[in-house]
């Protein structure tokens, strides 16, 4: 294998062991990584073509990587693979103010794009937690979500056109730069969220929107999670479209408060944080939020009086991850259920936490029914690890029982591959394998991620 | 072949020649239809399974049909085929007010669903011109658009989950009922717009929105199409999101005025019709529209003073099709270009009309850059037919040159299959064929539509 890799020369290829080691993992817990053979960091589509042609000819696995901020092991190395990092393809190629689109290379950081288009009065809404470090290519490959999705939709809602290098090195341009287009199958959408298993994304055209008004922000405090969940459905059934509607349960609030004093009341049972970016109509939106919250038993609702206070409230939500890391190791789950089942989900997770004797703080995008239960455990204690993993699985089983999905935005990778099979069922798995086979007959693209190869087919 | 068909019994099957004849065509011009062997009108998914299993075993082509309102021949019969009409699967299975979704059988008429959910304060936005007769299944299979798309998006933006009977009769449930979901490939989106070539849709779960406010409507009159097109981009770059933004050129206005007196001024060069459904903010939106229109040279802008007047303006736009039919035979084109190229498109089409000595009135969804040039010709005059077809092709070539697509919402069917190959390019065609092969290895699903079978493969 290694002698073959040596034939793939170019200044963008390295086999330096220390460098390879640094690129083996994304940010998922409990996901194995193999030993890669090389790292390619191309600057041009032509170089990606070169890597894929070589890999295809020699049946060498290729693992595409963005910023490796994923939480499901999707970017982890596999044995003998060429790691194909797109981070150096980081140019914004075009921002089109009239047509409200941007065309970028895959390595452009989400926040870099967001700020660049904001300078032109435009808005790129998808804002995953990793937005300051994750790349547009990675966001597309995983169909990343974020806080704004409740109003604006997820990454796939903004993908117009893609350039993709196929498994055999051919370059496909697909999708359309126009607002609408029905000429042929929606391959751009098929690649979006396919986690590098169907092709390597080398250019992305995204839709933009006019820059929204600065949002108004409010927080509501509840004594129970159930009350907060009911407030979510009551608020949204009234027809409002908040630009953010986030939930934190008691263990999340406690963890964040222990990390940084936010001046929250004592004994908070749950909070909702809502924003409206409808300008002059925002106060009315937040009044409706406050009314719904109070009707559902909120003990207090506060509307931020200035930007600093608003930033603090959103910061409280964004701090959950950091605050949680002080409590122990964590496995971040990502179930999404119909909104009407949110209360059952949160209560069921509390029961799972009690049964497995682990802490599972829950926070997430309540307006979308998308919750991130953080299973916290002691990595040094094998029994705690076992209980943590059992709880992690139990949460997904609960999500499916409630009519939901095992992943709202983090993806499958290797972490949830067997759970994906449960969700898809036998026919679904078989169709996925047929699609994978059509795009990657030699099984070289991110093998072992998302979907197992069909029985009898040898990947790599 | 016919003796085989006889083995497929069931009260939902007919081989009655008169009935078959009535189901041979959709509403496309210039699209051949073959001679079908049977018509199946199932009421249950189980019956669809029965048809597909039989067809798969005997390699008989199957042509799925909704209301046959399509404009590209996608539902036209092929020789020896079983026509599979889903019109009797017309039940609304569930409207979920809290989660804002509806689950329906494919034969539910768009307007029936729209009105049913409106009764519960909910809104199903996709509103193709055929909305009073076309089915949700057909809308999904063609990814139908409509007037509201400029604000709300097209059918695929509302498809959450599908039940699909695969070519071999297996039943796939795909997508998710939740707002978000990234568990596996986005197959629901892949089936959407695939025109019955990848599977037969037997159940659809769509997202709904809260019912919008009654819109305010305005019309602006211009002396030239170019001025109207500039007003479109100027209005939208200001950040407004109209719920309708329609364009009619002079020949369209003249045709409609000849059909029904709308009280329009004399010598109108082009009109824009705009709506805003933002309630209290609607007058401000239309003021911005009026300002942009006047800055771009509008001679007059009128805001409808009541619902009747508003209805009349939208009616003017919806009458284009009917009014056109009095002028001769027509071929409806459907190009979509980046908004910034709209003026060039309209001017180029006028030049094409002059060159080929045909009339090509243009109207369409200006906010989306999606225009319907209606090529009008005399079907009894072979030379006129030839010139009409040449003009039709020239319009698509122009759309592609301007960075657009050959179809914004009507689809490919047989009408535009060779043009699709031009748009996709060699790699795109090959990937389409691989996807088709993965889903339909025996080539029985709507053969010859959208994409040619791969060379060397025998369809049917």
């Amino acid at each position: 294998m290694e002698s073959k890799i040596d034939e793939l020369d170019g200044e963008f290829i390295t086999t330096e062991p220390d460098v390879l080691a640094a690129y083996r993992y994304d940010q998922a817990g409990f996901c194995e990584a193999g030993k890669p053979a090389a790292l390619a960091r191309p600057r041009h589509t032509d170089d990606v073509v070169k890597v894929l042609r070589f890999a295809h000819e020699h049946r060498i696995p290729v693992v595409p990587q963005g910023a490796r901020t994923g939480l499901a092991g999707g970017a982890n190395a596999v044995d003998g693979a060429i790691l194909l990092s797109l981070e150096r393809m980081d140019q914004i190629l075009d921002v089109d103010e009239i047509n409200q689109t941007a065309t970028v290379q895959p390595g452009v950081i989400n926040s870099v794009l967001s700020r660049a288009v904001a300078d032109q009065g435009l808005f790129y809404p998808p804002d995953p937690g990793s937005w300051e470090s994750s790349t547009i290519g990675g966001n597309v490959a995983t169909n990343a979500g974020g806080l704004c999705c409740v109003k604006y939709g997820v990454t796939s809602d903004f993908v117009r056109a893609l350039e993709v290098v196929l498994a055999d090195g051919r370059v496909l341009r697909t999708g359309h730069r126009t607002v609408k287009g029905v000429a042929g199958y929606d391959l751009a959408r098929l690649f979006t969220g396919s986690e590098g298993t169907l092709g390597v994304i080398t250019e992305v055209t995204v839709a933009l929107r006019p820059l929204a008004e600065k949002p108004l922000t409010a927080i509501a405090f509840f004594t129970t999670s159930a009350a907060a969940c009911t407030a979510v459905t009551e608020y949204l059934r009234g027809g409002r479209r908040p630009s953010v509607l986030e939930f934190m349960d008691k263990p999340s609030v406690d963890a964040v408060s222990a990390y940084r004093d936010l001046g929250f009341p004592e004994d908070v049972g749950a909070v909702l944080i809502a924003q409206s970016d409808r300008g002059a109509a925002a106060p009315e939106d937040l009044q409706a939020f406050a009314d719904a919250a109070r009707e559902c038993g909120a003990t207090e609702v506060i509307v931020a009086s200035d930007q600093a206070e608003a930033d603090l409230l959103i910061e409280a939500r964004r701090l959950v991850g950091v605050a949680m890391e002080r409590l122990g190791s964590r496995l971040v789950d990502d179930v999404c259920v119909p909104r009407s089942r949110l209360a059952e989900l949160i209560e069921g997770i509390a029961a799972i936490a009690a049964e497995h004797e682990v802490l599972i703080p829950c926070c997430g995008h309540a307006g979308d029914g998308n919750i991130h239960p953080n299973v916290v455990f002691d990595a040094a204690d094998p029994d705690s690890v076992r209980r943590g993993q059992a709880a992690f699985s139990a949460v997904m089983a609960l999500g499916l029982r409630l009519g939901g999905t095992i992943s709202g935005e983090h993806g499958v990778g290797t972490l949830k591959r067997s759970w994906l099979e449960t969700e898809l069922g036998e026919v679904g798995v078989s169709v996925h394998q047929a699609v994978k086979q059509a795009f990657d007959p030699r099984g070289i693209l991110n093998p072992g991620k998302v979907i197992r190869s069909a029985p009898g087919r040898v990947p790599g």
Side-chain angles (χ1 to χ4, degrees), chain A:
Chain A
M1 187 75 81
E2 287 189 25
S3 64
K4 274 190 217 152
I5 290 288
D6 290 343
E7 293 165 24
L8 178 68
D9 59 349
E11 54 75 36
F12 63 91
I13 308 280
T14 179
T15 55
E16 188 65 47
D18 289 355
V19 181
L20 294 194
Y23 282 78
R24 280 182 67 200
Y25 287 94
D26 64 19
Q27 290 181 14
F30 283 95
C31 292
E32 294 299 314
K35 197 168 170 298
L39 168 67
R41 283 174 291 189
R43 289 189 191 276
H44 309 285
T45 298
D46 287 351
D47 294 334
V48 177
V49 168
K50 191 172 169 183
V51 170
L52 267 300
R53 276 194 192 146
F54 180 87
H56 192 254
E57 183 187 343
H58 298 289
R59 295 176 184 265
I60 297 168
V62 172
V63 177
Q65 298 184 328
R68 290 175 292 108
T69 54
L71 294 165
N76 279 9
V78 303
D79 282 337
I82 301 170
L83 303 178
L84 179 55
S85 168
L86 284 309
E87 65 190 347
R88 289 182 179 172
M89 291 180 67
D90 63 353
Q91 300 301 301
I92 296 176
L93 303 172
D94 177 56
V95 177
D96 182 334
E97 203 195 333
I98 305 275
N99 295 303
Q100 300 175 343
T101 60
T103 299
V104 302
Q105 290 189 309
V108 170
I109 304 291
N110 179 306
S111 61
V112 171
L113 175 63
S114 296
R115 291 188 181 114
V117 303
D119 289 345
Q120 298 189 44
L122 294 165
F123 178 30
Y124 178 66
D127 61 342
S130 59
W131 77 296
E132 293 277 15
S133 50
S134 64
T135 64
I136 297 298
N139 292 172
V140 173
T142 56
N143 193 9
L147 269 60
C148 289
C149 301
V150 65
K151 178 166 180 179
Y152 294 105
V154 294
T155 299
S156 59
D157 295 310
F158 292 86
V159 173
R160 287 266 180 89
L162 298 176
E163 180 188 82
V164 178
V165 180
L166 300 172
D168 59 7
R170 287 179 301 160
V171 178
L172 173 71
R173 296 193 76 95
T174 189
H176 40 87
R177 282 165 177 257
T178 49
V179 178
K180 293 158 72 179
V182 293
Y185 302 146
D186 194 345
L187 301 181
R189 188 77 172 226
L190 184 62
F191 285 111
T192 303
S194 66
E195 301 187 26
T197 64
L198 302 179
V200 179
I201 296 163
T202 48
E203 192 184 294
V204 182
T205 298
V206 293
L208 303 171
R209 294 177 62 114
L211 201 56
E213 307 263 356
K214 276 274 175 204
L216 266 191
T217 310
I219 186 164
F221 298 94
F222 299 83
T223 52
T224 66
S225 287
C229 293
T230 308
V232 169
T233 52
E234 285 306 303
Y235 178 43
L236 294 177
R237 81 192 293 182
R240 303 282 165 177
R241 305 265 303 176
S243 54
V244 164
L245 187 51
E246 293 290 312
F247 167 85
M248 294 166 65
D249 70 354
K250 182 174 173 49
S252 301
V253 172
D254 289 349
V256 171
S257 294
Y259 180 79
R260 187 178 296 175
D261 182 15
L262 297 160
F264 282 4
E266 302 261 310
D267 284 331
V268 172
V271 307
L272 290 178
I273 300 166
Q275 289 193 325
S276 168
D277 59 2
R278 291 207 303 139
E284 177 194 313
D285 286 346
L286 292 192
Q287 187 57 52
F289 169 70
D291 292 346
R294 288 202 186 93
E295 267 167 40
C296 297
T299 51
E300 196 175 354
V301 184
I302 301 169
V303 177
S305 55
D306 57 30
Q307 194 57 45
E309 204 174 296
D311 290 346
L312 189 76
L313 294 178
I314 292 295
E315 180 74 3
R317 167 63 185 88
R318 293 221 186 250
L319 276 176
V320 170
V322 184
M324 217 66 81
E325 274 162 17
R326 290 166 38 132
L327 302 179
S329 295
R330 65 182 184 128
L331 257 176
V332 186
D333 226 322
D334 172 43
V335 288
C336 191
V337 296
R339 279 197 297 265
S340 60
R341 315 301 293 271
L342 257 185
E344 288 165 87
L345 178 71
I346 305 292
E347 281 169 8
I349 290 170
I352 289 167
E355 184 193 336
H356 295 277
E357 297 174 52
V358 286
L359 190 65
I360 314 184
C362 289
C363 62
H365 317 304
D368 290 326
N370 183 199
I371 296 294
H372 299 309
N374 286 260
V375 181
V376 179
F377 56 92
D378 178 358
D381 171 2
D383 187 59
S384 176
V385 171
R386 191 192 52 71
R387 284 183 282 113
Q389 288 179 317
F392 182 76
S393 288
V395 166
M396 283 186 283
L398 174 63
L400 290 178
R401 272 203 310 280
L402 295 174
T405 172
I406 58 162
S407 186
E409 58 181 18
H410 291 172
V412 176
T414 55
L415 184 68
K416 295 185 171 179
R417 197 182 65 178
S418 66
W419 276 96
L420 179 66
E421 293 181 3
T422 304
E423 178 165 342
L424 296 180
E426 196 186 330
V427 176
V429 168
S430 143
V431 174
H432 272 68
Q433 286 172 331
V435 170
K436 170 72 174 167
Q437 176 75 10
F439 282 85
D440 182 22
R442 296 189 178 177
I444 63 166
L445 288 173
N446 218 3
K449 311 299 174 66
V450 184
I451 196 84
R452 237 180 279 268
S453 295
R457 285 175 185 145
V458 184

